[in-house]
């Protein structure tokens, strides 16, 4: 492991400790609790009728090594769900691509932190 890669891992831990929030990452009937930093990404989508849509999607910065479900390290997939509790609500987000782009992107050259693109699909009351 290079010095820069080691520094990226240390930085990922520091970011999660200082700015991360607990979310539940769900795939099918399995899930894992991870620390994630909420964010957003904007993009433009040019439609065939000449209209340009400007869209902002919710992102979650997640340390790749934390995405372990059933002892298996996973990468985000379209259709996975992120459940984020805020005050008295659980905000439900579905992992999706960005207008034909990827549904996640590495935030560093080693893929230490993943920026996972999502769309809010619902809310639930906290039980």
């Amino acid at each position: 492991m290079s010095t820069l890669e080691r520094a990226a891992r240390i930085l990922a831990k520091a970011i999660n400790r200082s700015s991360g929030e607990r979310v539940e990452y769900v795939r099918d009937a399995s899930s894992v609790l991870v620390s994630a930093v909420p964010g957003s990404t904007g993009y433009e989508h040019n439609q065939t009728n000449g209209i340009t849509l400007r869209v902002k999607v919710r992102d979650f910065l997640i340390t790749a090594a934390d995405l372990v479900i059933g002892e298996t390290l996973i990468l985000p997939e379209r259709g996975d769900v992120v459940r984020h509790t805020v005050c008295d609500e659980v905000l439900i987000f579905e992992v999706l691509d960005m207008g034909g782009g990827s549904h996640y992107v590495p935030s560093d050259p080693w893929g230490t932190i993943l920026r996972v693109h999502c769309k809010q699909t619902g809310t639930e009351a906290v039980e």
Side-chain angles (χ1 to χ4, degrees), residues 16-82:
N16 276 331
R17 271 194 301 263
S18 66
S19 303
E21 299 178 21
R22 295 299 273 173
V23 301
E24 180 182 19
Y25 193 93
V26 182
R27 176 171 296 162
D28 301 323
S30 301
S31 67
V32 61
L33 291 175
V34 298
S35 180
V37 178
S40 64
T41 297
Y43 72 95
E44 292 184 355
H45 179 68
N46 296 317
Q47 296 184 319
T48 56
N49 59 4
I51 296 174
T52 299
L53 294 176
R54 289 184 177 86
V55 180
K56 188 177 270 190
V57 297
R58 168 67 76 187
D59 293 330
F60 290 95
L61 294 171
I62 300 173
T63 302
D66 292 343
L67 286 176
V68 177
I69 294 181
E71 298 184 24
T72 301
L73 183 64
I74 64 166
L75 287 173
E77 290 183 1
R78 289 176 189 87
D80 289 351
V81 172
V82 177

Side-chain angles (χ1 to χ4, degrees), residues 22-26 33 60 81-94 119-127:
R22 295 299 273 173
V23 301
E24 180 182 19
Y25 193 93
V26 182
L33 291 175
F60 290 95
V81 172
V82 177
R83 297 172 53 85
H84 183 201
T85 302
V86 178
C87 298
D88 59 347
E89 284 187 313
V90 179
L91 306 179
I92 301 166
F93 297 90
E94 182 177 342
K119 173 185 174 184
Q120 186 173 350
T121 57
T123 60
E124 295 177 357
V126 172
E127 296 178 2

